[in-house]
Amino acid sequence: MPTKKQKRGAFLAGAAGTALAINYVRKPGEAAEFEYKIGTNVPMNDPRNVNIVLMSKRLLEQTGGKFKLTLYPNNQLGGDTAMFTQLRSGALEFFTISGGILSSVVPVCDIQGVPFAFKSIPNVYQAMDGDLGAYLRKQILAKGIQPMPHMLDNGFRQVTNSVRPVKTVDDLKGLKIRTPPGKLWVDLFKTLGASVIGMNFSELYTALQTHVVDGQENPYIIEEIGRLYEVQKYLSITNHMWDGFWVIANQDKWNALGGQLQEIVTKNMIVYAHDQRRDNDLLNESLSDKLQRQGMVFNKADVSTFKAKLSAEKFYDRWKETFGAEAWGYLEKYTGKLG
Ligand code: X2X
């Protein structure tokens, strides 16, 4: 019996085109050659997780049992910051991460969250499946992190809090707002006049429940799946930014798969992304009614007051400077002129 290591070596050689790989037959009951983990920050019923389970099943079948991807949902492995550290060290092989948090290592990834930029979900994916996404993937790779080709959806974000409806930007004054721990996020809500705490999602529910913070901002689906409606009264429709997730892999663990497995995984990750986007967008569209029935009070914010404040405070000029003309150009190619 060859050892596991020898067999893996045989497969890798096979990936380069020898006959060995073709003759490789997995014995029933044998462990998969690659047992990789994928971590997420949301509960099991989120479309990101539901579709990972379906993809894992396809991957096991299509690789003849060689590649087994196991899901660790709901911050089981730690919050986003901890999972990202594990991903970079190789303790975690795959991870779904918002560009606004990935930006701690790849700063330009904050660009997806430029406020009031994308007009619609189709407009987002023109950019992210087009030149902007290609540019960002290059920057992620340059940091030794392997991005999958297509992003996942979170959606357009809305402001919630337990104190008062946010009707204009002035209503944010004096509110303690949690954002994810990302530079652009924190700067955005500071610029809008709130007091801001950057915090991982894993800590959010308790922070809202114990009034460490008054409010937060997330798409409908996260208000629902994170049960934030239990601890937040007011939802103000702001659509202030789009948010989505990169699926990233540890570079060494990715390389170890070899060409044949990489090809199968990539193909399935693309199918996964499109399934996840569709489920997520349908849910986001359908949840406003349910959230109100669960007790949330909705209002439409006057976002022209938000935009005016951002322009007056030179928010767009500052971030254009930070991202650089090339990245900003790719963004404006899809959004039109900003600021
Ligand atoms: O942390 C959040 O607010 C969440 C769930 O939307 C992200 O993962 C960015």
Side-chain angles (χ1 to χ4, degrees), residues 220 233-237 287-289 291-292 296-300:
Y220 292 158
K233 178 85 180 159
Y234 301 104
L235 186 148
S236 305
I237 301 168
L287 279 173
S288 113
D289 187 55
L291 287 167
Q292 291 179 74
M296 291 191 101
V297 175
F298 274 42
N299 73 286
K300 211 163 163 14

Side-chain angles (χ1 to χ4, degrees), residues 1 7 24-32 64-66:
M1 278 281 288
K7 279 185 286 180
Y24 181 98
V25 179
R26 188 176 155 267
K27 298 189 181 57
E30 205 176 9
K66 288 189 191 104

Side-chain angles (χ1 to χ4, degrees), residues 230-278:
E230 293 175 354
V231 286
Q232 293 283 268
K233 178 85 180 159
Y234 301 104
L235 186 148
S236 305
I237 301 168
T238 50
N239 290 306
H240 54 274
M241 63 154 77
W242 176 78
D243 182 37
F245 302 93
W246 291 95
V247 185
I248 55 173
N250 173 274
Q251 188 72 74
D252 292 339
K253 298 294 173 100
W254 176 255
N255 292 344
L257 291 177
Q260 288 181 340
L261 284 186
Q262 283 173 359
E263 203 178 296
I264 297 171
V265 173
T266 302
K267 218 174 54 194
N268 278 281
M269 283 286 180
I270 292 171
V271 174
Y272 164 59
H274 288 271
D275 289 348
Q276 190 276 349
R277 287 178 190 178
R278 191 189 53 232

Side-chain angles (χ1 to χ4, degrees), residues 177-250:
I177 299 287
R178 171 272 178 181
T179 69
K183 268 200 187 135
L184 182 138
W185 249 310
V186 172
D187 183 34
L188 171 60
F189 277 83
K190 264 193 193 147
T191 306
L192 292 173
S195 5
V196 189
I197 304 180
M199 181 192 290
N200 280 315
F201 186 65
S202 52
E203 296 165 43
L204 177 57
Y205 185 93
T206 307
L208 292 169
Q209 193 178 34
T210 56
H211 299 282
V212 168
V213 292
D214 302 311
Q216 60 90 46
E217 42 84 59
N218 250 304
Y220 292 158
I221 187 155
I222 301 290
E223 327 290 2
E224 170 66 19
I225 283 187
R227 301 197 330 276
L228 303 187
Y229 57 83
E230 293 175 354
V231 286
Q232 293 283 268
K233 178 85 180 159
Y234 301 104
L235 186 148
S236 305
I237 301 168
T238 50
N239 290 306
H240 54 274
M241 63 154 77
W242 176 78
D243 182 37
F245 302 93
W246 291 95
V247 185
I248 55 173
N250 173 274

